[in-house]
Amino acid sequence: MSEPAFVTALQKVTSGSLPLNELIVAAQQLGASGQPDLARQLYQIWIAMNGEHPLLFIAHFNCSTLLAQGGDNAGALASLRAALTINPDFAPAHINLGSALERAGDAAAAVEQWKAGLERMATVTGDTIEYKITLLKQLSRVLSDNQQHEAAEVALQQCLDLGLHQRDVVEQYAAVRLAQCKWPIATTPTKLTRGSFVSRFHPLSSCAYSDDPLQHLGLAHRYAEAVAPAITSASDRRHAPIPQGRRPRIGYVSSDLRAHAVGYLMANLFEAHDTSNVEVFIYYCGIPADDGINQRIKAAAEHWADIRNIGDDEAAALIAADEIDILIDVNGHTRDARLGIFARRPAPIQVNWLGYPGSMGSPYHHYIIGDEWVIPQDHEVYYSERVLRLPCYQPNDRKRIVDTAPPQRSEHGLPEDAFVFCCFNAAHKVTRYSFERWMAILNQVPNSVIWLLDYNTETNTRLRAAAERYGVSGDRLIFAKKVPNPRHLARYPLADLFLDTAPYGAHTTASDALWMGVPVLTYAGRSFASRVCASLVRAAGAPELITTSPDAFIKRAIALATTDQLGLKALRQRLTANRDTCTLFDIDGLARNLEGLYAQMAGDYRAGHLPKPNTANLDAYLDIGVNIDHDSIEIGAASDYHGVYRAALAVRHYNTPMQADGRLWTENDIGAAEAAPINCSASRAA
């Protein structure tokens, strides 16, 4: 719309002859022609001239959107409140006002606004059901973010009652149950079957739910297909040449390069990169940040671009224009990931590393970076990517800031003379099986306590009640209040021994403990998430802290706390002595090895040997895995894990023949299945 047309519309407004529908059309045309400010002015003048119009609330609502787009958040809030003053039942205004309040940093007010919107919707019709679902989703998300998981779960239950098959709602529902240690996890009040429920878990939740890497792979594949299917785009550079006459251009995509576990791990890496070997580009997609970690990374990077507020097409175009050779997905399947960028293939080589503890299961991630412990050669069948290895896959910050004030047990509620076990892993990692092992240990170690993070009042109470059921006084669970990270690091040595969780073990928390000289006892399983901690303690020079069965974990913990306290003391001394020389904290060595892997990838690409991700039969593996009752069976402890899957695959093949996939279903397996009768009971057991 031209400016003269705006003047014409304005004249009709002032004469009272522009109806609301024509106002909306005129404003849309102004916005489409790049003149949103004129559209906003048109609405505001119309509102001033039509104070008694029965649909005035719609004009206020539309004007609020234009005000927000123009950066006038206070004006947008005022317009939304005006809309609700006129029509308190207008659900879209409740939704947007809550979101605006959240963006302004007032999460509590946002929650109250969404609750008010829900209270106005006692009767739900076909026209309003989507509004109610949206209000419930927003409410549950912010409640979860603020550790109010019980209330979030109630909202999500209502959401599921309105529509069973909402992937994002099921994902969040599973996540809040994990965060509350509500065992069994796969319990839903809806009509979803357990298998259907588990098949809709977020991949990251699945890592915490079971030590079942084949299920994880299948779920990751289905998730990638659902949220970011492979597409052909204008930014597609899958066949672009990688020149030899310049440094390889390495792009890192991450939302977590700030005061976040991943940021703490990576800050020193960017400082350690040799700029004569690589040219580093960072594409940041996280929340606005200006903390110390974020500042260090920005200062170290040659190129930094904030892509949070641009879409996947535009971000992929930017990366393609930078002619990135190797693009690193530091998020993987984690919060605020930008999987859609990788689906557009803006770089010829795309890599999964660090942020997500497992395979991406996508057709557009070519490599995963691990190490010989976290992904042994015989575990490569659990990954769609080709595996490349560092001496230890995890980078670490040698510049950690540790509070210099000596900590005291008394200031943290710890008994002075007790043996203190600790675990500072997040609540979603605390499974029933891990908790049972902890309680078995406490029962055998008199005068001992376990020191955990302060999750929230409800979860702390739930865990103390569970302890009582195992014959352990709830008072022996002590919860560590949240403190700034330097102070948190300083208090680690107050603990005698860190007890890991399974299947999702300690990652950054383990390297923090080892840096502070605290031994970490771990039980290594099959999945990536269950083997990270073992990789770290091995790289720290203490491989005897790795156990490979639940019973061995319990026995070793009891021994270190009772009959082998001299051995424990020696371990603490060794960890402290090795800190400056061990593989785990050799950030310069890791940087050189990583740069070597990048050179290897580029060389393979030039030679025509870019790996092709293996996604064959992954739906079959997922369907088998989700029908194993992981709440009742700790599959990671099963000796014949592959046998469970092969038996179920044979039954599927009998009914619907499958091609060999290079994992568990090989030509030999097909021949054996076709030559022998099918044991259907094995399928039912799986």
Side-chain angles (χ1 to χ4, degrees):
M1 177 181 278
S2 65
E3 192 162 325
F6 165 72
V7 173
T8 300
L10 187 58
Q11 289 172 343
K12 293 182 73 174
V13 172
T14 55
S15 67
S17 59
L18 186 71
L20 179 62
N21 62 325
E22 290 186 22
L23 168 68
I24 293 171
V25 170
Q28 288 173 339
Q29 291 174 343
L30 286 165
S33 63
Q35 301 175 86
D37 193 57
L38 291 180
R40 187 262 309 163
Q41 291 179 44
L42 196 62
Y43 268 118
Q44 289 179 325
I45 296 168
W46 191 94
I47 288 167
M49 300 291 294
N50 292 271
E52 301 302 319
H53 195 286
L55 298 179
L56 181 62
F57 65 92
I58 294 176
H60 277 297
F61 179 79
N62 291 352
C63 186
S64 73
T65 302
L66 293 165
L67 287 163
Q69 290 172 354
D72 185 357
N73 295 323
L77 285 168
S79 288
L80 288 166
R81 289 189 171 112
L84 287 170
T85 298
I86 298 165
N87 184 357
D89 294 325
F90 189 46
H94 285 287
I95 294 168
N96 285 12
L97 181 53
S99 297
L101 290 165
E102 182 192 5
R103 287 193 300 272
D106 196 345
V111 166
E112 291 307 311
Q113 189 62 52
W114 290 322
K115 285 181 177 178
L118 288 167
E119 289 170 1
R120 305 292 303 193
M121 299 180 71
T123 302
V124 179
T125 66
D127 292 334
T128 60
I129 190 168
E130 289 302 321
Y131 293 140
K132 184 165 187 177
I133 288 173
T134 300
L135 283 164
L136 288 166
K137 286 181 181 180
Q138 295 286 67
L139 181 63
S140 62
R141 178 183 55 78
V142 173
L143 287 168
S144 293
D145 287 347
N146 287 275
Q147 306 301 309
Q148 298 180 54
H149 299 301
E150 291 272 10
E153 184 179 356
V154 172
L156 289 163
Q157 288 172 349
Q158 294 178 42
C159 215
L160 286 171
D161 288 341
L162 295 171
L164 279 180
H165 301 293
Q166 303 169 74
R167 171 180 283 278
D168 57 340
V169 177
V170 175
E171 288 173 6
Q172 197 176 345
Y173 184 80
V176 298
R177 289 190 67 82
L178 284 162
Q180 296 175 87
C181 303
K182 275 197 169 180
W183 313 312
I185 299 300
T187 296
T188 170
T190 72
K191 296 178 182 178
L192 279 174
T193 64
R194 180 173 48 79
S196 181
F197 178 41
V198 176
S199 72
R200 289 171 171 81
F201 275 26
H202 189 279
L204 194 64
S205 293
S206 185
C207 292
Y209 177 60
S210 68
D211 185 19
D212 189 346
L214 289 168
Q215 179 200 322
H216 299 172
L217 175 58
L219 187 60
H221 174 63
R222 185 170 293 181
Y223 182 83
E225 282 189 325
V227 303
I231 62 173
T232 301
S233 76
S235 303
D236 193 327
R237 296 183 64 249
R238 73 183 80 188
H239 302 302
I242 297 180
Q244 290 186 303
R246 61 162 171 77
R247 293 174 295 162
R249 293 181 178 175
I250 312 300
Y252 294 89
V253 179
S254 177
S255 65
D256 300 327
L257 301 180
R258 50 188 170 85
H260 177 280
V262 170
Y264 288 121
L265 293 177
M266 294 193 77
N268 210 172
L269 169 68
F270 292 115
E271 295 164 341
H273 263 316
D274 185 342
T275 55
S276 67
N277 289 337
V278 292
E279 184 176 2
V280 172
F281 294 71
I282 293 178
Y283 302 98
Y284 179 70
C285 54
I287 60 174
D290 192 36
D291 53 71
I293 293 293
N294 184 263
Q295 290 172 5
R296 281 177 60 190
I297 295 172
K298 282 182 180 177
E302 289 185 71
H303 309 278
W304 174 283
D306 192 328
I307 61 171
R308 177 176 177 81
N309 294 319
I310 62 176
D312 290 339
D313 283 328
E314 190 177 348
L318 173 64
I319 293 167
D322 287 337
E323 297 184 348
I324 297 301
D325 302 316
I326 302 172
L327 190 64
I328 314 300
D329 189 349
V330 183
N331 273 93
H333 294 309
T334 64
R335 185 168 182 169
D336 293 329
R338 296 295 294 272
L339 201 56
I341 293 173
F342 291 84
R344 287 158 174 77
R345 305 178 196 252
I349 301 171
Q350 301 190 152
V351 182
N352 167 23
W353 180 50
L354 192 63
Y356 174 68
S359 177
M360 292 301 294
S362 86
Y364 40 80
H365 287 81
H366 306 105
Y367 295 96
I368 182 172
I369 296 176
D371 59 49
E372 66 180 14
W373 185 271
V374 81
I375 309 179
Q377 189 170 355
D378 61 349
H379 285 203
E380 291 184 9
V381 294
Y382 306 144
Y383 300 85
S384 59
E385 309 93 335
R386 179 180 294 176
V387 179
L388 293 181
R389 295 175 175 87
L390 294 165
C392 177
Y393 95 105
Q394 188 193 80
N396 268 282
D397 186 7
R398 292 195 57 81
K399 300 177 182 178
R400 286 172 170 85
I401 299 173
V402 180
D403 194 314
T404 56
Q408 301 295 326
R409 281 190 170 186
S410 58
E411 70 181 284
H412 297 286
L414 297 170
E416 294 290 347
D417 61 345
F419 189 95
V420 177
F421 297 103
C422 79
C423 182
F424 292 146
N425 292 351
H428 71 274
K429 296 183 180 183
V430 182
T431 63
R432 173 173 67 85
Y433 305 113
S434 289
F435 192 80
E436 285 176 350
R437 287 190 277 275
W438 292 350
M439 295 305 102
I441 293 164
L442 290 182
N443 270 316
Q444 294 298 313
V445 181
N447 194 29
S448 66
V449 298
I450 187 162
W451 192 23
L452 307 172
L453 289 180
D454 184 4
Y455 300 126
N456 61 35
T457 301
E458 293 85 0
T459 301
N460 295 352
T461 301
R462 182 175 297 108
L463 290 176
R464 280 183 164 145
E468 297 282 353
R469 292 194 294 273
Y470 287 104
V472 174
S473 170
D475 293 340
R476 294 173 70 185
L477 276 62
I478 298 172
F479 297 97
K481 298 296 183 183
K482 186 175 179 62
V483 295
N485 199 58
R487 191 63 186 158
H488 177 59
L489 290 173
R491 67 184 175 181
Y492 263 94
L494 297 177
D496 296 295
L497 179 64
F498 188 118
L499 297 178
D500 196 19
T501 49
Y504 199 146
H507 293 191
T508 307
T509 48
S511 52
D512 283 344
L514 295 166
W515 178 262
M516 297 305 300
V518 178
V520 182
L521 184 68
T522 188
Y523 158 41
R526 293 185 179 87
S527 61
F528 193 114
S530 73
R531 299 182 66 81
V532 166
C533 189
S535 169
L536 304 183
V537 299
R538 178 188 64 91
E544 61 267 51
L545 289 168
I546 302 170
T547 64
T548 55
S549 74
D551 285 346
F553 178 87
I554 294 169
K555 290 176 182 176
R556 186 73 174 122
I558 294 169
L560 287 169
T562 55
T563 59
D564 194 22
Q565 288 200 18
L566 287 177
L568 182 65
K569 182 179 179 181
L571 277 167
R572 294 177 74 100
Q573 292 171 341
R574 189 198 316 166
L575 289 171
T576 301
N578 287 354
R579 196 170 74 175
D580 290 335
T581 58
C582 68
T583 300
L584 180 59
F585 301 120
D586 181 9
I587 189 62
D588 291 325
L590 182 140
R592 299 296 82 74
N593 281 290
L594 184 61
E595 291 156 10
L597 290 186
Y598 293 155
Q600 178 184 336
M601 294 176 199
D604 287 348
Y605 179 81
R606 294 188 191 104
H609 300 316
L610 182 71
K612 294 181 179 178
N614 179 4
T615 59
N617 293 340
L618 294 188
D619 284 339
Y621 287 97
L622 175 61
D623 290 344
I624 294 166
V626 300
N627 284 294
I628 298 171
D629 185 359
H630 293 291
D631 282 299
S632 301
I633 302 167
E634 190 173 18
I635 195 77
S639 59
D640 193 23
Y641 172 66
H642 286 185
V644 170
Y645 270 88
R646 282 197 174 100
L649 287 167
V651 173
R652 293 177 70 91
H653 181 78
Y654 180 77
N655 294 313
T656 305
M658 299 184 299
Q659 297 297 312
D661 56 39
R663 288 193 174 83
L664 305 189
W665 198 240
T666 64
E667 294 292 350
N668 288 340
D669 293 302
I670 291 172
E674 292 178 350
I678 294 299
N679 180 0
C680 292
S681 64
S683 169
R684 288 192 293 271

